[in-house]
């Protein structure tokens, strides 16, 4: 069995390819053969031109498309045009490659929860409805267009696909300069504890977010590979305020939570983001267990400490 992974050196890509290469793939999926993995990133088989892929002669059983151009924080506010051009280009090229060169492959793509309208329940049937949050609009729409491409090509040519919408992923093996909020909290709390620098969070901290441990997300994706032409949210089903997340991180580092400051000038996005997981829990049944937030934060923090 062969697969191609785009964005293989990204956070999710590193964790996914590790499992695909290991015995864990057999344990999770029940498949008894070997999985041969070809990776694609900006240095190998860049997606900026479809010709960079056409020399790959293997016939893939799966294409995992994880590549995307984005960053946390206010990047989406200041790079709308760059995000549109780059993401539309790489998404179109991988879909073109799928249709014309790898039609036997099942295309597995990643969406984003920011594509959901904050005015509607975040269930899969609402993914293309309403308006995404203004500050994330461009990136959100490129992910909606990716889903539209999957659906359109799949319907016209009879191809198979899956589309996953994760909440914020976290866990070990993250880039130390990754500024997704949970990594920022860990980094800032550690620095406050050991270097005496201020520990500040964006906004008043009442905005609510949801995390999903990256190894859980990989397990869910692999356990759902037999599904066809479906959208699945991947999340924990539990959300917390940024203040609560900060408090839990403070407990890990034995830092006084009362010293945490709030920067009301910073961009905070939507006030609440929690996706509906009824569909995935129904399909997976007893296989949908989650790593506890306490354990996940502990492992993520230990990884950070080991790398600095």
């Amino acid at each position: 069995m062969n697969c191609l992974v785009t964005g293989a050196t990204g956070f999710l890509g590193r964790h996914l390819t590790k499992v695909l290469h290991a015995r864990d793939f057999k344990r999770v999926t029940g498949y008894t053969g070997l999985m041969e993995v070809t990776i694609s990133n900006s240095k190998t088989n860049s997606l900026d031109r479809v010709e960079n892929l056409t020399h790959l002669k293997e016939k893939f059983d799966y294409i995992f498309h994880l590549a995307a151009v984005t960053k946390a924080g206010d990047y989406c506010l200041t790079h709308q045009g760059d995000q549109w051009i780059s993401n539309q280009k790489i998404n179109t090229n991988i879909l073109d490659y799928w249709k014309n060169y790898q039609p036997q492959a099942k295309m597995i793509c990643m969406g984003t929860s920011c594509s959901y309208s904050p005015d509607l329940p975040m269930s899969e049937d609402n993914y293309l409805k309403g308006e995404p949050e203004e500050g994330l609009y461009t990136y959100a729409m490129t992910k909606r267009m990716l889903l539209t491409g999957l659906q359109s090509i799949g319907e016209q040519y009879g191809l198979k696909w899956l589309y996953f919408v994760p909440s914020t992923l976290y866990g070990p093996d993250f880039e130390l300069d990754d500024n997704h909020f949970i990594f920022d909290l860990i980094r800032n709390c550690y620095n406050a504890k050991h270097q005496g620098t201020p520990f500040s969070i964006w906004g008043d901290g009442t905005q609510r977010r949801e995390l999903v441990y990256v190894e859980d997300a990989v397990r869910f994706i692999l356990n759902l590979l037999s599904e066809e032409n479906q959208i699945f949210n991947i999340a924990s089903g539990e959300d917390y305020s940024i203040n609560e997340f900060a408090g839990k991180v403070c407990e890990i580092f034995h830092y006084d939570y009362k010293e945490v400051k709030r920067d009301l000038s910073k961009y905070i996005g939507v006030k609440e983001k929690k996706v509906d997981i009824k569909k995935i829990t129904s399909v997976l049944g007893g296989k949908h267990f989650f790593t506890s937030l306490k354990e996940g934060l502990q492992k993520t923090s230990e990884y950070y400490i080991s790398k600095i």
Side-chain angles (χ1 to χ4, degrees):
M1 188 175 290
N2 293 325
C3 72
L4 170 67
V5 182
T6 77
T9 55
F11 180 52
L12 177 59
R14 291 194 296 275
H15 284 271
L16 175 64
T17 54
K18 184 188 302 181
V19 175
L20 291 174
H21 279 300
R23 294 179 181 176
D24 279 354
F25 178 70
K26 300 178 184 179
R27 177 179 59 80
V28 170
T29 64
Y31 176 68
T32 57
L34 294 176
M35 175 64 83
E36 298 294 333
V37 182
T38 299
I39 66 170
S40 168
N41 54 46
S42 59
K43 296 181 180 179
T44 64
N45 310 314
S46 171
L47 298 181
D48 60 350
R49 296 174 65 245
V50 71
E51 290 79 9
N52 292 337
L53 294 173
T54 55
H55 71 280
L56 298 173
K57 302 305 181 184
E58 299 93 332
K59 290 299 182 183
F60 297 114
D61 298 283
Y62 299 100
I63 299 175
F64 295 91
H65 177 43
L66 314 182
V69 177
T70 192
K71 295 180 182 178
D74 58 2
Y75 181 86
C76 291
L77 286 172
T78 56
H79 294 79
Q80 305 96 318
D82 293 340
Q83 281 198 308
W84 182 262
I85 293 171
S86 296
N87 285 301
Q88 289 292 83
K89 185 182 295 184
I90 65 176
N91 290 340
T92 297
N93 286 340
I94 195 65
L95 293 179
D96 185 358
Y97 176 67
W98 174 45
K99 178 182 79 72
N100 290 315
Y101 297 91
Q102 299 286 345
Q104 77 292 331
K106 181 178 289 185
M107 176 67 77
I108 318 295
C109 291
M110 302 303 297
T112 174
S113 59
C114 72
S115 289
Y116 280 115
S117 168
D119 301 322
L120 296 171
M122 295 184 180
S123 58
E124 290 88 346
D125 56 351
N126 285 333
Y127 192 74
L128 298 177
K129 299 177 182 177
E131 293 289 311
E133 196 272 323
E134 183 178 1
L136 302 171
Y137 187 88
T138 298
Y139 180 62
M141 293 304 290
T142 65
K143 287 296 190 178
R144 285 191 179 189
M145 291 297 289
L146 174 58
L147 174 58
T148 302
L150 282 174
Q151 292 173 328
S152 302
I153 294 170
E155 182 174 354
Q156 182 175 351
Y157 296 98
L159 308 188
K160 305 303 181 184
W161 55 269
L162 287 170
Y163 189 86
F164 294 102
V165 185
S167 57
T168 300
L169 298 167
Y170 79 112
D173 202 21
F174 64 93
E175 297 288 348
L176 297 187
D177 61 353
D178 189 324
N179 60 349
H180 280 86
F181 80 89
I182 194 61
F183 302 137
D184 259 349
L185 293 179
I186 290 171
R187 183 168 45 244
N188 292 341
C189 188
Y190 179 89
N191 290 340
K193 174 72 174 183
H194 295 281
Q195 300 178 17
T197 55
F199 181 6
S200 179
I201 61 179
W202 288 26
D204 62 7
T206 60
Q207 63 272 33
R208 302 184 69 82
R209 295 294 183 266
E210 182 179 22
L211 296 175
V212 61
Y213 195 61
V214 65
E215 292 177 8
D216 294 346
V218 169
R219 187 177 70 254
F220 297 153
I221 290 169
L222 296 181
N223 271 309
L224 289 163
L225 285 183
S226 62
E227 299 293 321
E228 293 183 352
N229 301 12
Q230 295 285 330
I231 309 168
F232 288 99
N233 288 334
I234 299 180
S236 64
E238 295 182 343
D239 65 331
Y240 299 87
S241 70
I242 298 298
N243 286 326
E244 290 173 310
F245 282 119
K248 294 178 185 298
V249 171
C250 286
E251 290 177 8
I252 292 173
F253 290 107
H254 305 289
Y255 183 78
D256 186 357
Y257 173 71
K258 295 178 182 178
E259 296 297 318
V260 178
K261 298 176 173 53
R262 278 82 182 161
D263 187 344
L264 301 182
S265 69
K266 293 292 188 179
Y267 170 75
I268 64 168
V270 297
K271 289 294 291 181
E272 182 175 349
K273 186 185 290 186
K274 181 182 178 183
V275 303
D276 189 311
I277 61 169
K278 293 186 183 72
K279 184 174 181 178
I280 192 172
T281 54
S282 174
V283 173
L284 288 179
K287 297 179 180 179
H288 75 276
F289 64 90
F290 301 99
T291 299
S292 71
L293 181 62
K294 181 178 181 180
E295 179 184 354
L297 288 178
Q298 185 68 44
K299 289 182 177 179
T300 307
S301 300
E302 289 172 356
Y303 170 80
Y304 178 74
I305 294 170
S306 73
K307 292 298 180 180
I308 56 175

